[in-house]
């Protein structure tokens, strides 16, 4: 995999954010808030950290795998997949449209390269990632499995069943991350269902936990993922608490749940795009 400089990664992030906004605006549907907040994480994974192959093979033998549990943030994933060569960026214009391969929540029936499992029914992604990681261990495949969850998703019971399972089976080739933005569809997580001390919770379940204090700074994200990789192979799965700001990159969207699942209108789109440099060319 080709490595990119910090400036190149930042440049990709700017373009990905433009893609997210234009995709959601075009169909007047989708989830821009957390997609914008997780941009650095996805760019770090696909352009710096993961060993992956744009010539997509669903089995992923000999390469790192990624599973998105909170599938509603599909816009950021689709953008990064296309920008890293999985499919033509022009296809981003079909997001959430009839007969599109780019469904609102990622699905496998359409055969979109890069998607290994349907997701977005919250709580399920970590279980899938654990199964994939166990399979790699059984097959002697030394590559890593990554997963991303939302913080509101931590209110799902299946998450905690999976959290017990992975340490019990010594799944030490797995790095799971939680997007800790403090927001969910109905409001702040503290008000909807207080998560309290996630670090203590996951450690109590037997995970090695690291914290990314600024998940919207690309160098911090890269360093945290590298630290997470250094902790693998020691009998424990690794959890990365990724602190981000929902809507990051657009001043009127940042830090509020109100843009969790709302598309910008024409004027808002123009305003938002004016804050983000076009670096790789709009689709």
């Amino acid at each position: 995999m080709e490595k990119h400089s910090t400036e190149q990664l930042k440049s990709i992030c700017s373009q990905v954010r433009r893609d997210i906004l234009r995709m959601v605006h075009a169909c007047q549907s989708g989830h821009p808030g957390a997609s914008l907040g997780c941009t650095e994480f996805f760019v770090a994974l696909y352009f710096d950290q993961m060993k992956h192959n744009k010539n997509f093979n669903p089995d992923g033998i000999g390469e790192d795998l990624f599973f998105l549990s909170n599938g509603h943030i599909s816009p950021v994933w689709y953008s990064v997949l296309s920008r890293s060569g999985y499919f033509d960026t022009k296809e981003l214009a079909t997001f959430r449209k009839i007969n599109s391969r780019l469904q609102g929540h990622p699905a496998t029936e359409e055969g979109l390269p890069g998607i290994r499992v349907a997701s977005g029914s919250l709580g399920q992604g970590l279980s899938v990632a654990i199964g994939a990681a166990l399979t790699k261990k059984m097959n002697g495949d030394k590559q890593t499995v990554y997963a991303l969850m939302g913080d509101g998703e931590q209110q799902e019971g299946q998450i905690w069943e999976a959290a017990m399972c992975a340490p019990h089976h010594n799944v030490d080739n797995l790095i799971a991350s939680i997007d800790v933005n403090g927001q969910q569809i109905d409001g702040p997580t503290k008000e909807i269902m207080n998560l309290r001390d996630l670090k203590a919770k996951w450690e109590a379940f037997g995970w090695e936990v690291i914290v990314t204090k600024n998940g919207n700074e690309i160098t911090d994200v890269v360093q945290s993922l590298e630290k997470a990789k250094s902790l693998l192979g020691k009998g424990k799965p690794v959890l990365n608490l990724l602190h981000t700001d929902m809507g990051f990159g657009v001043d009127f969207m940042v830090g509020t749940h109100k843009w969790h699942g709302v598309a910008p209108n024409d004027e808002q789109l123009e305003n938002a795009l004016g804050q983000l440099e076009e670096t790789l060319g709009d689709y």
Side-chain angles (χ1 to χ4, degrees), residues 113-259:
I115 309 299
R116 291 186 165 87
V117 64
S119 66
S121 182
L122 295 177
Q124 298 180 359
L126 183 60
S127 298
V128 174
I130 290 169
L134 283 168
T135 299
K136 282 194 176 291
K137 286 174 73 76
M138 293 170 67
N139 291 339
D141 187 332
K142 302 299 184 183
Q143 298 309 127
T144 302
V145 176
Y146 295 86
L148 178 65
M149 303 170 276
D151 53 358
E153 189 177 7
Q154 305 306 294
Q155 298 159 3
E156 297 281 353
Q158 187 175 343
I159 292 291
W160 299 101
E161 295 178 52
M164 284 190 288
C165 175
H168 178 77
H169 291 286
N170 304 118
V171 184
D172 57 0
N173 57 338
L174 170 65
I175 299 172
S177 295
I178 300 174
D179 175 21
V180 186
N181 60 32
Q183 308 291 333
Q184 59 190 97
I185 190 168
D186 293 327
T189 54
K190 286 183 178 180
E191 296 178 9
I192 305 304
M193 183 64 72
N194 200 329
L195 302 170
R196 301 191 189 279
D197 193 341
L198 282 177
K199 185 174 187 292
K201 282 184 169 72
W202 283 86
E203 287 176 340
F205 274 71
W207 289 64
E208 190 71 47
V209 180
I210 66 170
V211 178
T212 305
K213 292 183 178 180
N214 188 351
N216 295 121
E217 173 52 59
I218 193 71
T219 54
D220 288 4
V221 177
V222 168
Q223 289 171 4
S224 289
L225 289 171
E226 289 177 346
K227 180 178 179 180
K229 284 195 289 187
S230 74
L231 297 171
L232 296 175
K234 299 179 182 180
K236 288 185 176 184
V238 178
L239 182 80
N240 173 27
L241 291 174
L242 179 77
H243 289 269
T244 71
D245 287 321
M246 181 173 279
F248 188 86
V250 179
D251 59 9
F252 62 87
M253 292 185 174
V254 69
T256 172
H257 72 281
K258 294 180 180 179
W259 291 96

Side-chain angles (χ1 to χ4, degrees), residues 16-37:
V16 168
R17 286 193 165 96
R18 290 181 65 89
D19 291 347
I20 292 166
L21 293 163
R22 296 180 69 240
M23 291 162 66
V24 173
H25 168 265
C27 63
Q28 281 297 289
S29 180
H31 297 78
S35 296
L36 293 167

